[in-house]
Amino acid sequence: MVDSSAAIRRGHPAIFGLLAFVSFIVAVIASTLTTDFNNKGNAQSSAITGAVRYSVFVGWWTFLFSIVYLVLFLVGKGGVVTSIAGHAIWIVLTWIFFLAGAGAVTGSMHGAQNCSTSDLRYCGSMEALMAFSWIAWIILTGMLAMVIVIGGGAFRGGRTFKEGLNA
């Protein structure tokens, strides 16, 4: 059996840092758009407004918990929260949130737009929100695959899902 603990010690902070960075971008873009929609009352449709507001929640949710998981991993605390099962539950939930958010933004825009010919307000910002939402979802998909592989290896090795990632 290959010892993956060194790779996990290096990879966990890197991937959670990347996810925190991308989700921060999503949160800031969505928050800015929501502020503009609220102050100027110029959203083109309720679908766009709803999708962007949901992206505010998903972006800040992911940013906050990514930082929490990163800090708890680095200090070696957290118990069941930072266990394999704790990671799996949070990643699955966040994966679903981002899938719904990215899909809602994409659907409200009717797919990708050519901003030079589109009449969509805030087209560039909406395109960026859509792109970064899908990027975050892709990162989460990779994280989910890794947790499944690590969890499967732990289970086959006689460990439990309550143990930490590098136990």
Side-chain angles (χ1 to χ4, degrees), residues 77-98:
K77 302 286 183 203
V80 73
V81 174
T82 57
S83 68
I84 297 168
H87 275 78
I89 291 167
W90 181 79
I91 290 171
V92 165
L93 188 61
T94 306
W95 183 87
I96 292 168
F97 285 167
F98 255 111

Side-chain angles (χ1 to χ4, degrees), residues 144-161:
L144 182 58
M146 287 308 301
V147 165
I148 290 169
V149 167
I150 292 167
F155 190 69
R156 281 190 308 278
R159 294 174 33 214
T160 67
F161 293 110

Side-chain angles (χ1 to χ4, degrees), residues 6 8 10-11 14 19 22 29 40 50 58 66 77 84 89 95 104 115 129 142 148 154-155 166-167:
I8 292 170
R10 282 190 302 271
L19 181 62
V22 171
I29 293 170
K40 297 177 184 173
V58 174
S66 293
K77 302 286 183 203
I84 297 168
I89 291 167
W95 183 87
C115 290
L129 178 61
I148 290 169
F155 190 69
N166 20 317

Side-chain angles (χ1 to χ4, degrees), residues 27-46:
V28 168
I29 293 170
S31 296
T32 303
L33 284 169
T34 299
T35 301
D36 284 350
F37 293 159
N38 290 342
N39 291 342
K40 297 177 184 173
N42 63 352
Q44 284 182 298
S45 71
S46 61

Side-chain angles (χ1 to χ4, degrees), residues 47-131:
I48 289 176
T49 305
V52 171
R53 286 182 178 164
Y54 181 73
S55 294
V56 170
F57 161 71
V58 174
W60 288 118
W61 158 276
T62 308
F63 176 72
L64 173 70
F65 282 100
S66 293
I67 297 298
V68 168
Y69 269 93
L70 179 61
V71 169
L72 289 175
F73 183 83
L74 291 174
V75 298
K77 302 286 183 203
V80 73
V81 174
T82 57
S83 68
I84 297 168
H87 275 78
I89 291 167
W90 181 79
I91 290 171
V92 165
L93 188 61
T94 306
W95 183 87
I96 292 168
F97 285 167
F98 255 111
L99 179 61
V105 170
T106 304
S108 70
M109 294 176 56
H110 307 295
Q113 302 282 318
N114 180 352
C115 290
S116 63
T117 60
S118 175
D119 64 343
L120 180 67
R121 287 186 202 102
Y122 306 108
C123 182
S125 296
M126 291 294 295
E127 285 280 319
L129 178 61
M130 181 177 65

